[in-house]
Amino acid sequence: EMIVQMREVFIQTLDDLSWMDKETRGKAEDKARAIKERIGYSDNINDNAYLDKEYKDLNYDVEKYFENFLQNLKFGQMRRLKKLREKVNKEEWITGAAIVN
């Protein structure tokens, strides 16, 4: 409910912006209404099958901290590069639960 109220106040203040033309205000309102509320964490956090598939390429060794660190960096970069060729998944959570925007 609080998020809905914040969105509505934001949209109402668009009319007060003299520097923004009517078309741009309309697009700003459309964008504000399109934002999805994400409170807490993704349902995938409790889905072991999803998590196993998502992180199947990571294999850590308790004796090799530095190699694990490098593997983690490579994994993250490869994951980001792969997404460049994919259609955007608007249901995907791109931030952790502790991130507030």
XYZ file of all heavy atoms in Angstrom:
854
model
N 0.826 -1.191 0.000
C 0.000 0.000 0.000
C 0.876 1.263 0.000
O 0.574 2.223 -0.693
C -0.920 -0.029 1.213
C -1.892 1.118 1.225
C -2.816 1.067 2.435
O -3.274 -0.031 2.803
O -3.038 2.129 3.001
N 1.941 1.252 0.789
C 2.812 2.413 0.855
C 3.471 2.676 -0.501
O 3.587 3.826 -0.930
C 3.890 2.217 1.925
C 4.776 3.430 2.085
S 5.887 3.331 3.499
C 7.057 2.116 2.973
N 3.858 1.615 -1.197
C 4.495 1.783 -2.509
C 3.510 2.385 -3.500
O 3.861 3.267 -4.290
C 5.052 0.446 -3.013
C 6.192 -0.003 -2.120
C 5.513 0.558 -4.456
C 6.728 -1.370 -2.428
N 2.274 1.934 -3.452
C 1.237 2.471 -4.345
C 1.054 3.967 -4.075
O 0.977 4.770 -5.014
C -0.097 1.706 -4.156
C -1.228 2.378 -4.914
C 0.063 0.260 -4.583
N 1.022 4.347 -2.815
C 0.864 5.759 -2.460
C 2.060 6.582 -2.935
O 1.898 7.694 -3.454
C 0.676 5.919 -0.954
C -0.647 5.393 -0.458
C -0.761 5.424 1.059
O 0.194 5.717 1.769
N -1.944 5.115 1.565
N 3.257 6.049 -2.761
C 4.460 6.763 -3.211
C 4.428 6.970 -4.731
O 4.756 8.046 -5.231
C 5.713 5.982 -2.801
C 5.964 6.004 -1.318
S 7.278 4.883 -0.786
C 8.683 5.494 -1.670
N 4.018 5.934 -5.445
C 3.932 6.032 -6.903
C 2.926 7.112 -7.300
O 3.184 7.922 -8.195
C 3.535 4.693 -7.511
C 3.350 4.771 -9.021
C 2.907 3.468 -9.629
N 4.002 2.537 -9.603
C 3.914 1.295 -9.124
N 2.800 0.826 -8.647
N 4.967 0.508 -9.144
N 1.776 7.121 -6.645
C 0.742 8.102 -6.986
C 1.205 9.537 -6.706
O 0.950 10.441 -7.500
C -0.559 7.789 -6.243
C -1.258 6.538 -6.739
C -1.518 6.528 -8.241
O -1.970 7.562 -8.789
O -1.252 5.486 -8.876
N 1.892 9.744 -5.597
C 2.419 11.078 -5.285
C 3.448 11.478 -6.342
O 3.455 12.621 -6.820
C 3.024 11.127 -3.869
C 3.803 12.417 -3.647
C 1.931 10.972 -2.830
N 4.305 10.550 -6.733
C 5.288 10.843 -7.780
C 4.583 11.279 -9.060
O 4.952 12.279 -9.688
C 6.162 9.616 -8.052
C 7.061 9.773 -9.234
C 8.242 10.488 -9.144
C 6.710 9.237 -10.465
C 9.074 10.647 -10.243
C 7.531 9.387 -11.574
C 8.711 10.099 -11.462
N 3.552 10.535 -9.448
C 2.820 10.846 -10.686
C 2.136 12.203 -10.566
O 2.145 13.000 -11.519
C 1.823 9.712 -11.014
C 2.605 8.459 -11.427
C 0.857 10.133 -12.101
C 1.787 7.192 -11.522
N 1.576 12.493 -9.413
C 0.917 13.789 -9.211
C 1.902 14.943 -9.332
O 1.563 16.010 -9.844
C 0.229 13.837 -7.846
C -0.991 12.960 -7.757
C -1.502 12.820 -6.330
O -1.034 13.511 -5.418
N -2.442 11.905 -6.124
N 3.134 14.750 -8.874
C 4.123 15.837 -8.930
C 4.617 16.092 -10.354
O 5.189 17.148 -10.615
C 5.335 15.544 -8.023
O 5.986 14.358 -8.473
C 4.919 15.406 -6.582
N 4.381 15.154 -11.257
C 4.811 15.369 -12.644
C 4.151 16.603 -13.244
O 4.765 17.317 -14.048
C 4.500 14.128 -13.501
C 5.305 12.884 -13.196
C 4.777 11.703 -14.012
C 6.779 13.099 -13.468
N 2.896 16.871 -12.873
C 2.194 18.038 -13.409
C 2.831 19.350 -12.973
O 2.643 20.380 -13.616
C 0.717 18.018 -12.979
C -0.056 16.907 -13.666
O 0.328 16.518 -14.799
O -1.034 16.414 -13.080
N 3.585 19.328 -11.890
C 4.223 20.547 -11.381
C 5.564 20.839 -12.046
O 6.176 21.873 -11.765
C 4.435 20.437 -9.864
C 3.120 20.301 -9.113
O 2.089 20.772 -9.624
O 3.137 19.716 -8.008
N 6.027 19.951 -12.902
C 7.341 20.126 -13.530
C 7.192 20.930 -14.821
O 6.858 20.402 -15.870
C 7.975 18.762 -13.810
C 8.178 17.855 -12.596
C 8.728 16.511 -13.021
C 9.102 18.519 -11.585
N 7.468 22.207 -14.726
C 7.289 23.093 -15.882
C 8.293 22.802 -16.998
O 8.016 23.074 -18.172
C 7.409 24.550 -15.439
O 8.689 24.774 -14.861
N 9.431 22.244 -16.670
C 10.459 21.973 -17.668
C 10.160 20.727 -18.505
O 10.793 20.488 -19.529
C 11.835 21.845 -17.012
C 11.893 20.763 -15.964
C 11.647 20.907 -14.632
C 12.187 19.386 -16.155
N 11.772 19.705 -13.983
C 12.113 18.750 -14.901
C 12.521 18.614 -17.264
C 12.345 17.397 -14.725
C 12.755 17.263 -17.084
C 12.672 16.661 -15.827
N 9.166 19.932 -18.082
C 8.858 18.685 -18.768
C 7.606 18.886 -19.628
O 6.580 19.347 -19.139
C 8.623 17.580 -17.731
C 8.554 16.188 -18.314
S 8.258 14.906 -17.055
C 9.870 14.744 -16.305
N 7.711 18.550 -20.918
C 6.533 18.713 -21.777
C 5.512 17.602 -21.530
O 5.789 16.618 -20.847
C 6.924 18.792 -23.255
C 7.557 17.516 -23.795
O 7.302 16.428 -23.258
O 8.309 17.614 -24.786
N 4.313 17.781 -22.091
C 3.197 16.865 -21.826
C 3.513 15.442 -22.267
O 3.210 14.473 -21.559
C 1.948 17.376 -22.542
C 0.711 16.589 -22.246
C -0.510 17.212 -22.901
C -1.743 16.389 -22.551
N -2.964 16.986 -23.106
N 4.138 15.289 -23.416
C 4.466 13.947 -23.919
C 5.442 13.232 -22.985
O 5.265 12.055 -22.654
C 5.067 14.045 -25.329
C 5.442 12.709 -25.903
C 6.120 12.810 -27.269
O 6.200 13.914 -27.835
O 6.591 11.758 -27.749
N 6.454 13.956 -22.521
C 7.445 13.363 -21.621
C 6.812 13.005 -20.277
O 7.102 11.956 -19.705
C 8.630 14.325 -21.423
O 9.161 14.673 -22.712
C 9.725 13.700 -20.585
N 5.913 13.878 -19.777
C 5.207 13.568 -18.521
C 4.386 12.287 -18.673
O 4.346 11.453 -17.774
C 4.305 14.729 -18.112
C 5.030 15.823 -17.360
C 4.065 16.768 -16.674
N 3.215 17.508 -17.603
C 3.524 18.681 -18.159
N 4.674 19.254 -17.873
N 2.701 19.270 -18.975
N 3.758 12.129 -19.823
C 2.977 10.912 -20.079
C 3.851 9.676 -20.067
O 3.482 8.638 -19.501
N 5.030 9.789 -20.689
C 5.951 8.645 -20.701
C 6.497 8.364 -19.307
O 6.675 7.208 -18.932
C 7.084 8.893 -21.687
C 6.610 8.830 -23.119
C 7.727 8.980 -24.106
C 7.144 8.887 -25.510
N 8.134 8.789 -26.532
N 6.744 9.413 -18.532
C 7.220 9.230 -17.155
C 6.147 8.541 -16.319
O 6.448 7.655 -15.509
C 7.594 10.579 -16.544
N 4.894 8.909 -16.532
C 3.809 8.254 -15.794
C 3.694 6.786 -16.191
O 3.541 5.913 -15.338
C 2.480 8.964 -16.050
C 1.334 8.312 -15.307
C 0.006 9.028 -15.489
O -0.016 10.182 -15.958
O -1.018 8.406 -15.141
N 3.773 6.515 -17.498
C 3.713 5.122 -17.964
C 4.825 4.292 -17.341
O 4.611 3.158 -16.909
C 3.823 5.057 -19.492
C 2.612 5.637 -20.200
O 1.557 5.812 -19.543
O 2.728 5.923 -21.405
N 6.020 4.874 -17.306
C 7.161 4.159 -16.730
C 6.955 3.922 -15.231
O 7.234 2.827 -14.718
C 8.448 4.940 -16.973
C 9.687 4.200 -16.571
C 10.942 4.915 -17.018
C 12.165 4.097 -16.672
N 13.391 4.720 -17.143
N 6.465 4.921 -14.525
C 6.219 4.778 -13.085
C 5.184 3.682 -12.828
O 5.317 2.901 -11.892
C 5.750 6.101 -12.494
N 4.180 3.607 -13.657
C 3.141 2.579 -13.470
C 3.642 1.189 -13.843
O 3.107 0.191 -13.374
C 1.898 2.926 -14.274
C 1.203 4.172 -13.765
C -0.218 4.290 -14.246
N -0.808 5.555 -13.851
C -1.247 5.849 -12.628
N -1.140 4.960 -11.668
N -1.781 7.022 -12.356
N 4.676 1.123 -14.677
C 5.208 -0.170 -15.120
C 6.191 -0.782 -14.118
O 6.498 -1.963 -14.203
C 5.900 -0.008 -16.473
N 6.673 0.010 -13.171
C 7.642 -0.492 -12.196
C 6.986 -1.552 -11.318
O 5.904 -1.352 -10.774
C 8.195 0.658 -11.325
C 9.002 1.618 -12.190
C 9.032 0.118 -10.169
C 9.419 2.885 -11.469
N 7.665 -2.687 -11.190
C 7.151 -3.776 -10.360
C 7.675 -3.630 -8.933
O 8.845 -3.346 -8.735
C 7.580 -5.123 -10.926
C 6.989 -5.386 -12.284
C 7.324 -6.778 -12.745
C 6.783 -6.973 -14.125
N 5.833 -8.019 -14.236
N 6.788 -3.861 -7.984
C 7.200 -3.817 -6.582
C 7.867 -5.138 -6.235
O 7.329 -6.194 -6.502
C 5.993 -3.616 -5.657
C 5.233 -2.344 -5.902
C 4.096 -2.505 -6.886
O 3.726 -3.648 -7.208
O 3.582 -1.477 -7.341
N 9.017 -5.065 -5.667
C 9.731 -6.258 -5.239
C 10.106 -6.066 -3.769
O 11.009 -5.321 -3.437
C 10.975 -6.449 -6.082
C 10.663 -6.536 -7.575
C 11.466 -7.626 -8.190
N 11.419 -7.596 -9.630
C 10.563 -8.308 -10.345
N 9.676 -9.065 -9.760
N 10.587 -8.263 -11.654
N 9.372 -6.747 -2.928
C 9.597 -6.649 -1.490
C 10.062 -8.013 -0.995
O 9.435 -9.031 -1.279
C 8.307 -6.251 -0.742
C 7.733 -4.951 -1.290
C 8.553 -6.166 0.756
C 8.607 -3.735 -1.096
N 11.152 -8.028 -0.252
C 11.650 -9.289 0.300
C 12.669 -9.923 -0.622
O 13.723 -9.363 -0.864
N 12.329 -11.074 -1.176
C 13.266 -11.803 -2.015
C 12.497 -12.650 -3.024
O 11.313 -12.926 -2.863
C 14.196 -12.681 -1.170
C 13.453 -13.600 -0.221
C 12.978 -14.831 -0.649
C 13.226 -13.232 1.093
C 12.292 -15.668 0.213
C 12.541 -14.058 1.963
C 12.081 -15.278 1.506
O 11.392 -16.099 2.347
N 13.190 -13.067 -4.050
C 12.603 -13.886 -5.105
C 12.157 -15.245 -4.570
O 12.789 -15.807 -3.680
C 13.646 -14.092 -6.207
O 13.253 -15.095 -7.101
N 11.107 -15.793 -5.148
C 10.659 -17.139 -4.777
C 11.724 -18.189 -5.100
O 11.739 -19.262 -4.508
C 9.363 -17.499 -5.508
C 8.181 -16.680 -5.019
O 8.237 -16.182 -3.869
O 7.209 -16.534 -5.775
N 12.615 -17.875 -6.023
C 13.658 -18.829 -6.422
C 14.645 -19.137 -5.299
O 15.348 -20.135 -5.357
C 14.423 -18.312 -7.638
C 13.553 -18.255 -8.871
O 12.603 -19.024 -9.009
N 13.863 -17.354 -9.775
N 14.695 -18.299 -4.292
C 15.651 -18.495 -3.203
C 15.396 -19.809 -2.459
O 16.295 -20.387 -1.866
C 15.639 -17.291 -2.229
C 16.892 -17.275 -1.362
C 14.431 -17.295 -1.330
C 18.012 -16.536 -1.923
N 14.167 -20.296 -2.522
C 13.809 -21.551 -1.852
C 13.658 -22.722 -2.813
O 13.227 -23.794 -2.402
C 12.500 -21.373 -1.070
C 12.651 -20.399 0.072
O 13.658 -20.415 0.771
N 11.671 -19.543 0.260
N 14.014 -22.512 -4.075
C 13.846 -23.548 -5.104
C 15.206 -24.195 -5.382
O 16.003 -23.675 -6.161
C 13.271 -22.910 -6.366
C 12.991 -23.892 -7.478
O 13.492 -25.037 -7.422
O 12.280 -23.506 -8.425
N 15.460 -25.331 -4.743
C 16.762 -25.984 -4.882
C 17.072 -26.383 -6.318
O 18.224 -26.291 -6.755
C 16.857 -27.199 -3.967
C 17.017 -26.797 -2.515
O 17.505 -25.708 -2.214
N 16.593 -27.650 -1.613
N 16.073 -26.822 -7.076
C 16.297 -27.205 -8.476
C 16.757 -25.992 -9.285
O 17.697 -26.080 -10.078
C 15.032 -27.812 -9.076
N 16.111 -24.865 -9.077
C 16.508 -23.628 -9.766
C 17.932 -23.233 -9.385
O 18.752 -22.906 -10.246
C 15.536 -22.496 -9.441
C 16.002 -21.154 -9.928
C 15.784 -20.763 -11.237
C 16.699 -20.289 -9.089
C 16.244 -19.537 -11.698
C 17.155 -19.066 -9.541
C 16.928 -18.690 -10.840
O 17.390 -17.483 -11.284
N 18.217 -23.240 -8.084
C 19.541 -22.838 -7.609
C 20.636 -23.781 -8.114
O 21.720 -23.331 -8.505
C 19.559 -22.761 -6.086
C 18.677 -21.667 -5.481
C 18.622 -21.810 -3.972
C 19.151 -20.289 -5.893
N 20.368 -25.093 -8.122
C 21.342 -26.058 -8.637
C 21.647 -25.786 -10.102
O 22.804 -25.820 -10.527
C 20.831 -27.490 -8.471
C 20.851 -27.955 -7.019
O 21.535 -27.311 -6.196
O 20.179 -28.959 -6.727
N 20.612 -25.497 -10.875
C 20.806 -25.208 -12.304
C 21.554 -23.887 -12.492
O 22.467 -23.790 -13.311
C 19.442 -25.151 -12.998
C 19.530 -24.871 -14.472
C 18.150 -24.807 -15.108
C 18.272 -24.382 -16.565
N 16.983 -23.993 -17.129
N 21.166 -22.877 -11.728
C 21.760 -21.546 -11.862
C 23.262 -21.546 -11.545
O 24.044 -20.844 -12.173
C 21.023 -20.583 -10.930
C 21.393 -19.142 -11.093
C 20.885 -18.506 -12.372
O 20.018 -19.070 -13.054
O 21.376 -17.408 -12.686
N 23.656 -22.343 -10.567
C 25.042 -22.317 -10.103
C 25.799 -23.610 -10.387
O 26.818 -23.875 -9.769
C 25.072 -21.997 -8.603
C 24.488 -20.631 -8.318
C 23.216 -20.501 -7.772
C 25.194 -19.482 -8.628
C 22.668 -19.244 -7.525
C 24.657 -18.224 -8.399
C 23.388 -18.115 -7.854
O 22.862 -16.871 -7.626
N 25.342 -24.378 -11.349
C 25.954 -25.681 -11.648
C 27.414 -25.568 -12.090
O 28.189 -26.492 -11.897
C 25.137 -26.439 -12.686
C 25.159 -25.853 -14.078
C 24.341 -26.700 -15.033
C 24.128 -26.081 -16.373
N 25.165 -25.377 -17.014
N 27.797 -24.442 -12.663
C 29.168 -24.282 -13.156
C 30.152 -23.846 -12.076
O 31.345 -23.721 -12.344
C 29.191 -23.271 -14.309
C 28.434 -23.769 -15.523
O 28.415 -25.004 -15.733
O 27.851 -22.950 -16.252
N 29.681 -23.624 -10.870
C 30.572 -23.240 -9.776
C 30.958 -24.476 -8.969
O 30.105 -25.220 -8.504
C 29.890 -22.227 -8.856
C 29.743 -20.826 -9.413
C 28.957 -19.962 -8.444
C 31.088 -20.201 -9.704
N 32.258 -24.692 -8.823
C 32.776 -25.816 -8.041
C 33.932 -25.301 -7.190
O 35.037 -25.118 -7.676
C 33.265 -26.934 -8.970
C 32.139 -27.492 -9.804
O 31.185 -28.020 -9.265
N 32.241 -27.346 -11.111
N 33.637 -25.053 -5.940
C 34.641 -24.495 -5.046
C 35.440 -25.594 -4.354
O 34.956 -26.684 -4.120
C 33.973 -23.625 -3.978
C 33.302 -22.402 -4.546
C 31.939 -22.204 -4.373
C 34.020 -21.441 -5.237
C 31.317 -21.072 -4.880
C 33.408 -20.315 -5.753
C 32.062 -20.141 -5.572
O 31.445 -19.025 -6.067
N 36.668 -25.235 -4.038
C 37.564 -26.119 -3.301
C 37.945 -25.391 -2.010
O 38.474 -24.272 -2.062
C 38.811 -26.409 -4.152
C 39.779 -27.375 -3.495
O 39.843 -27.426 -2.251
O 40.482 -28.070 -4.240
N 37.683 -25.995 -0.875
C 37.943 -25.339 0.410
C 39.415 -24.990 0.601
O 39.755 -24.134 1.420
C 37.445 -26.188 1.610
C 35.944 -26.356 1.564
C 38.132 -27.525 1.675
N 40.310 -25.600 -0.140
C 41.747 -25.367 -0.012
C 42.269 -24.287 -0.969
O 43.434 -23.941 -0.931
C 42.515 -26.672 -0.275
C 42.180 -27.798 0.687
C 42.608 -27.484 2.111
O 43.669 -26.854 2.302
O 41.862 -27.868 3.037
N 41.405 -23.770 -1.850
C 41.873 -22.853 -2.905
C 41.060 -21.560 -2.915
O 40.273 -21.307 -3.825
C 41.796 -23.540 -4.260
C 42.686 -24.758 -4.351
C 42.627 -25.384 -5.715
C 43.567 -26.578 -5.791
N 43.517 -27.205 -7.100
N 41.297 -20.747 -1.924
C 40.541 -19.499 -1.788
C 40.708 -18.598 -3.006
O 39.724 -18.115 -3.568
C 40.981 -18.745 -0.525
C 40.329 -17.389 -0.404
C 39.038 -17.273 0.094
C 40.995 -16.244 -0.812
C 38.428 -16.031 0.186
C 40.402 -15.008 -0.720
C 39.114 -14.900 -0.220
O 38.514 -13.673 -0.141
N 41.933 -18.340 -3.431
C 42.182 -17.418 -4.539
C 41.564 -17.940 -5.832
O 40.934 -17.184 -6.582
C 43.690 -17.175 -4.724
C 43.995 -16.166 -5.780
C 43.703 -14.826 -5.580
C 44.569 -16.552 -6.979
C 43.982 -13.883 -6.557
C 44.858 -15.617 -7.964
C 44.560 -14.280 -7.747
N 41.717 -19.236 -6.111
C 41.136 -19.825 -7.308
C 39.602 -19.750 -7.268
O 38.957 -19.505 -8.284
C 41.588 -21.271 -7.484
C 43.038 -21.427 -7.876
C 44.018 -21.346 -6.699
O 43.597 -21.055 -5.555
O 45.215 -21.564 -6.930
N 39.033 -19.948 -6.074
C 37.585 -19.814 -5.916
C 37.135 -18.386 -6.226
O 36.123 -18.168 -6.890
C 37.155 -20.174 -4.499
C 37.358 -21.633 -4.170
O 37.490 -22.480 -5.045
N 37.404 -21.926 -2.884
N 37.915 -17.427 -5.756
C 37.616 -16.024 -5.989
C 37.628 -15.717 -7.487
O 36.710 -15.090 -8.016
C 38.641 -15.158 -5.231
C 38.448 -13.692 -5.417
C 37.463 -13.019 -4.721
C 39.268 -12.986 -6.281
C 37.283 -11.650 -4.895
C 39.105 -11.630 -6.455
C 38.107 -10.951 -5.768
N 38.667 -16.180 -8.181
C 38.759 -15.961 -9.624
C 37.625 -16.661 -10.368
O 37.043 -16.101 -11.308
C 40.110 -16.450 -10.150
C 41.332 -15.655 -9.695
C 42.599 -16.303 -10.254
C 41.226 -14.207 -10.129
N 37.296 -17.862 -9.946
C 36.206 -18.605 -10.564
C 34.886 -17.841 -10.410
O 34.083 -17.771 -11.344
C 36.088 -20.002 -9.929
C 34.979 -20.828 -10.497
C 34.775 -22.143 -9.756
O 33.861 -22.838 -10.101
N 35.565 -22.491 -8.764
N 34.698 -17.273 -9.242
C 33.484 -16.512 -8.979
C 33.405 -15.274 -9.872
O 32.342 -14.952 -10.419
C 33.431 -16.125 -7.505
C 32.044 -15.840 -7.036
O 31.137 -16.618 -7.301
N 31.876 -14.730 -6.355
N 34.517 -14.574 -10.040
C 34.557 -13.410 -10.924
C 34.245 -13.809 -12.365
O 33.459 -13.150 -13.051
C 35.925 -12.734 -10.867
C 36.275 -11.981 -9.594
C 37.710 -11.479 -9.662
C 35.313 -10.829 -9.366
N 34.860 -14.878 -12.825
C 34.639 -15.351 -14.194
C 33.178 -15.768 -14.383
O 32.551 -15.431 -15.392
C 35.555 -16.535 -14.495
C 35.409 -17.058 -15.906
C 36.348 -18.226 -16.157
C 36.119 -18.792 -17.551
N 36.941 -19.973 -17.809
N 32.632 -16.478 -13.419
C 31.245 -16.918 -13.490
C 30.302 -15.717 -13.626
O 29.416 -15.701 -14.490
C 30.888 -17.727 -12.232
C 29.439 -18.091 -12.138
C 28.936 -19.168 -12.850
C 28.581 -17.357 -11.339
C 27.597 -19.510 -12.768
C 27.239 -17.692 -11.251
C 26.744 -18.767 -11.971
N 30.498 -14.712 -12.788
C 29.648 -13.525 -12.835
C 29.750 -12.794 -14.155
O 28.742 -12.367 -14.726
N 30.967 -12.663 -14.669
C 31.157 -11.966 -15.940
C 30.535 -12.750 -17.092
O 29.871 -12.174 -17.956
C 32.648 -11.731 -16.205
C 32.913 -10.875 -17.404
C 32.335 -9.471 -17.272
O 32.174 -8.945 -16.183
N 32.012 -8.873 -18.379
N 30.720 -14.046 -17.120
C 30.148 -14.876 -18.181
C 28.616 -14.825 -18.130
O 27.961 -14.789 -19.168
C 30.641 -16.316 -18.078
C 32.133 -16.472 -18.308
S 32.721 -15.791 -19.875
C 32.013 -16.961 -21.012
N 28.086 -14.806 -16.951
C 26.632 -14.723 -16.786
C 26.098 -13.405 -17.345
O 25.084 -13.371 -18.038
C 26.329 -14.858 -15.300
C 24.913 -15.059 -14.952
C 24.857 -15.510 -13.510
N 23.631 -15.095 -12.894
C 23.401 -15.141 -11.617
N 24.324 -15.560 -10.792
N 22.257 -14.782 -11.129
N 26.794 -12.306 -17.056
C 26.380 -10.999 -17.579
C 26.511 -10.940 -19.091
O 25.641 -10.411 -19.779
C 27.187 -9.893 -16.914
C 26.762 -9.620 -15.481
C 27.474 -8.422 -14.890
N 28.884 -8.672 -14.630
C 29.356 -9.290 -13.551
N 28.536 -9.723 -12.625
N 30.638 -9.468 -13.383
N 27.603 -11.483 -19.632
C 27.797 -11.471 -21.079
C 26.738 -12.298 -21.802
O 26.237 -11.914 -22.857
C 29.200 -11.981 -21.437
C 30.352 -11.045 -21.084
C 31.684 -11.752 -21.276
C 30.283 -9.769 -21.906
N 26.382 -13.425 -21.224
C 25.358 -14.288 -21.812
C 24.019 -13.554 -21.909
O 23.284 -13.701 -22.884
C 25.208 -15.557 -20.973
C 24.192 -16.530 -21.493
C 24.100 -17.748 -20.580
C 22.907 -18.592 -20.976
N 22.570 -19.556 -19.953
N 23.717 -12.744 -20.924
C 22.448 -12.023 -20.904
C 22.348 -10.979 -22.016
O 21.245 -10.564 -22.381
C 22.227 -11.365 -19.552
C 21.905 -12.368 -18.467
C 21.663 -11.669 -17.154
C 21.447 -12.657 -16.058
N 20.160 -13.283 -16.074
N 23.473 -10.572 -22.569
C 23.447 -9.599 -23.657
C 22.711 -10.137 -24.882
O 22.169 -9.383 -25.668
C 24.869 -9.191 -24.056
C 25.636 -8.369 -23.037
C 27.068 -8.157 -23.510
C 24.955 -7.030 -22.802
N 22.696 -11.431 -25.048
C 22.065 -12.066 -26.211
C 20.648 -12.573 -25.918
O 20.000 -13.093 -26.798
C 22.916 -13.238 -26.685
C 24.323 -12.862 -27.046
C 24.402 -12.507 -28.474
N 25.783 -12.220 -28.819
C 26.104 -11.360 -29.743
N 25.184 -10.733 -30.413
N 27.362 -11.133 -30.019
N 20.201 -12.429 -24.696
C 18.899 -12.949 -24.308
C 17.868 -11.832 -24.207
O 18.203 -10.685 -23.940
C 18.989 -13.653 -22.947
C 19.876 -14.868 -22.944
C 20.024 -15.475 -21.556
O 19.559 -14.866 -20.572
O 20.611 -16.556 -21.474
N 16.614 -12.210 -24.392
C 15.523 -11.276 -24.176
C 15.452 -10.963 -22.676
O 15.686 -11.838 -21.848
C 14.210 -11.919 -24.639
C 13.032 -11.006 -24.556
C 11.779 -11.674 -25.077
C 10.605 -10.733 -24.894
N 9.353 -11.345 -25.278
N 15.136 -9.731 -22.338
C 15.079 -9.317 -20.935
C 13.974 -10.065 -20.215
O 12.840 -10.134 -20.682
C 14.834 -7.793 -20.829
C 14.613 -7.372 -19.387
C 15.990 -7.030 -21.442
N 14.326 -10.647 -19.081
C 13.362 -11.332 -18.229
C 12.890 -10.333 -17.176
O 13.599 -10.059 -16.213
C 13.996 -12.553 -17.572
C 13.069 -13.268 -16.628
O 11.932 -12.846 -16.407
N 13.541 -14.355 -16.050
N 11.704 -9.799 -17.358
C 11.208 -8.766 -16.451
C 10.809 -9.309 -15.088
O 10.534 -8.550 -14.171
C 10.046 -8.030 -17.095
C 10.495 -7.243 -18.311
C 9.397 -6.389 -18.859
C 9.946 -5.609 -20.047
N 9.002 -4.634 -20.533
N 10.783 -10.614 -14.940
C 10.464 -11.219 -13.647
C 11.713 -11.502 -12.818
O 11.624 -11.817 -11.644
C 9.683 -12.524 -13.851
C 8.345 -12.326 -14.543
C 7.438 -11.353 -13.811
O 7.342 -11.452 -12.571
O 6.834 -10.486 -14.475
N 12.876 -11.388 -13.428
C 14.133 -11.686 -12.733
C 14.476 -10.591 -11.727
O 14.347 -9.405 -12.018
C 15.269 -11.812 -13.743
C 16.602 -12.083 -13.112
C 17.726 -12.157 -14.132
O 17.601 -11.566 -15.207
O 18.721 -12.809 -13.827
N 14.910 -11.015 -10.563
C 15.386 -10.076 -9.548
C 16.864 -9.832 -9.834
O 17.657 -10.769 -9.855
C 15.218 -10.667 -8.159
C 13.808 -10.699 -7.675
C 12.730 -11.219 -8.329
C 13.329 -10.191 -6.445
N 11.616 -11.070 -7.564
C 11.952 -10.448 -6.394
C 13.938 -9.565 -5.371
C 11.167 -10.075 -5.311
C 13.161 -9.204 -4.295
C 11.796 -9.457 -4.269
N 17.227 -8.578 -10.030
C 18.625 -8.277 -10.358
C 19.389 -7.730 -9.148
O 20.575 -7.458 -9.237
C 18.742 -7.319 -11.552
C 18.008 -6.014 -11.268
C 18.228 -7.978 -12.814
C 18.212 -4.942 -12.321
N 18.696 -7.551 -8.046
C 19.359 -7.083 -6.833
C 19.029 -8.036 -5.686
O 18.051 -8.776 -5.746
C 18.886 -5.674 -6.438
O 17.476 -5.705 -6.226
C 19.222 -4.655 -7.497
N 19.830 -7.995 -4.672
C 19.578 -8.813 -3.501
C 18.479 -8.219 -2.629
O 18.044 -7.083 -2.835
N 18.049 -8.979 -1.661
C 16.954 -8.558 -0.786
C 17.296 -7.317 0.031
O 16.409 -6.567 0.420
C 16.567 -9.711 0.137
N 18.562 -7.079 0.277
C 18.961 -5.952 1.119
C 19.099 -4.645 0.340
O 19.361 -3.597 0.923
C 20.284 -6.276 1.815
N 18.911 -4.685 -0.973
C 19.072 -3.505 -1.811
C 17.758 -2.757 -1.922
O 16.735 -3.347 -2.226
C 19.563 -3.881 -3.228
C 20.842 -4.692 -3.168
C 19.721 -2.646 -4.102
C 22.006 -3.977 -2.545
N 17.795 -1.452 -1.666
C 16.613 -0.621 -1.792
C 16.929 0.486 -2.776
O 17.955 1.143 -2.682
C 16.218 0.005 -0.433
C 15.037 0.951 -0.600
C 15.910 -1.091 0.565
N 16.046 0.667 -3.736
C 16.257 1.713 -4.722
C 15.161 2.738 -4.597
O 14.025 2.473 -4.577
C 16.281 1.112 -6.126
C 16.603 2.129 -7.167
O 16.813 3.295 -6.877
N 16.645 1.692 -8.401
